[in-house]
Structures are given as C-alpha cells and as structure tokens.
Amino acid sequence: MRRRPDGVQALPEVSELLLSVFAGGESAVHALRDLQAGRLDADSFASAATVSIAGSGSYVVETTGRPGSARGLPGLFWDALFGLILVVPVPGSSYGPSAGALLGALINAGVDERFLARAREALVPGTSALALLLGDGDRDEDLEPLRQHRGTLI
C-alpha cells in the first residue's frame, strides 16, 4: 500500500471487484488459501474477503489485511457490501436513510444493482464466496489457482 505525502496510507487504485461463489460453506476459504499460496506476495491483492452462509441464513465475513487494517476501511467495505447483498431487502423497497446512503456510495464506486441482484441469487444457505478487490497490477494469470475451485463468477 502506498503512502500519501502526509505519511497516511493511501488506498490502492482498484480496477475490478471479483466475486466467486462456491457450493459449500468453507470452499471460499480454501480457494483463498490456494490463491495466496500461488503468489510471491500473499498480501498483494488490494483486499480480499470470504463470506460463508449457514443453513439458517446467518453469515460470517472474514477479511484479509495487514496488521491493524483488517477491521479498518477494508473490513468496513466488505461488511457493507455483504450486508447490502444479504440483509437489505430487494430494490424498490424502503432502505432507510443509512442503508440508502451506503447503497448510493457503493453505486458511486461502481457496484451496481445488477451485481447486487446476481450476488443475492447466488449466495444462498450452504454457499460461500471469495471477493477480491484487484489492483491495476494484478494479472489474469495470478487468478489461475482460483479457477481450479470452479466457483461461479459474479
């Protein structure tokens, strides 16, 4: 992660949000481990998270991050994204001011309703997903270990 002139860590440039959904609650965790094992710098993705949906519909989000950042901005982003996918009602209903502002912020960042709808359809009880924020330096071949797990790409 680069630093701004004032010494504060700057967010990496993000070019793509990738979400891959798998059958099985732990499959995404295994896919992330394999993906990290194939890289020289396991923390080189801008950010990554897994979500597992239990049979009851409850879910757990796990984030990757550097020390001190796992529950910071990347953790907040992943919690917000999966909250909108799994908790917020379908479009057209009343979100309320907080959820509406959050949805607006994510839409402004490039996460559209079509993506959210597709993710809602795919993330059902008994599934898991691996989400990656890819930076400009991430190459297609870096994702090769992920293809072995045969997830559904959203």
Side-chain angles (χ1 to χ4, degrees), residues 7 14-15 22 32 36-37 58 68 75 86 101 105 109 112 129-132 143 154:
V14 175
S15 59
F22 304 92
L32 178 59
Q36 289 174 322
S58 64
L86 299 167
D112 62 13
L130 170 60
L132 298 169
L143 300 174
I154 303 291

Side-chain angles (χ1 to χ4, degrees), residues 7 28 38 48 63 67 84 107 109 121 123 125 130-131 133 139 153-154:
T63 62
L84 284 172
I107 288 172
E121 289 176 15
L123 287 168
L130 170 60
L133 284 177
R139 300 176 315 258
L153 192 62
I154 303 291

Side-chain angles (χ1 to χ4, degrees), residues 22 27 30-32 34-35 145-151:
F22 304 92
S27 299
H30 297 295
L32 178 59
D34 288 351
L35 190 61
L146 183 59
R147 290 181 180 89
Q148 299 169 10
H149 291 272
R150 297 192 165 117

Side-chain angles (χ1 to χ4, degrees), residues 20-88:
S20 188
V21 179
F22 304 92
E26 293 297 316
S27 299
V29 172
H30 297 295
L32 178 59
R33 285 184 191 146
D34 288 351
L35 190 61
Q36 289 174 322
R39 297 187 62 117
L40 294 176
D41 179 6
D43 287 331
S44 62
F45 289 119
S47 185
T50 60
V51 62
S52 299
I53 294 83
S56 64
S58 64
Y59 66 96
V60 175
V61 176
E62 301 273 337
T63 62
T64 64
R66 290 153 190 84
S69 70
R71 297 305 323 156
L73 187 57
L76 178 65
F77 169 78
W78 294 121
D79 284 342
L81 178 67
F82 288 116
L84 284 172
I85 291 169
L86 299 167
V87 177
V88 173

Side-chain angles (χ1 to χ4, degrees), residues 84-102:
L84 284 172
I85 291 169
L86 299 167
V87 177
V88 173
V90 296
S93 63
S94 175
Y95 290 119
S98 298
L102 183 56

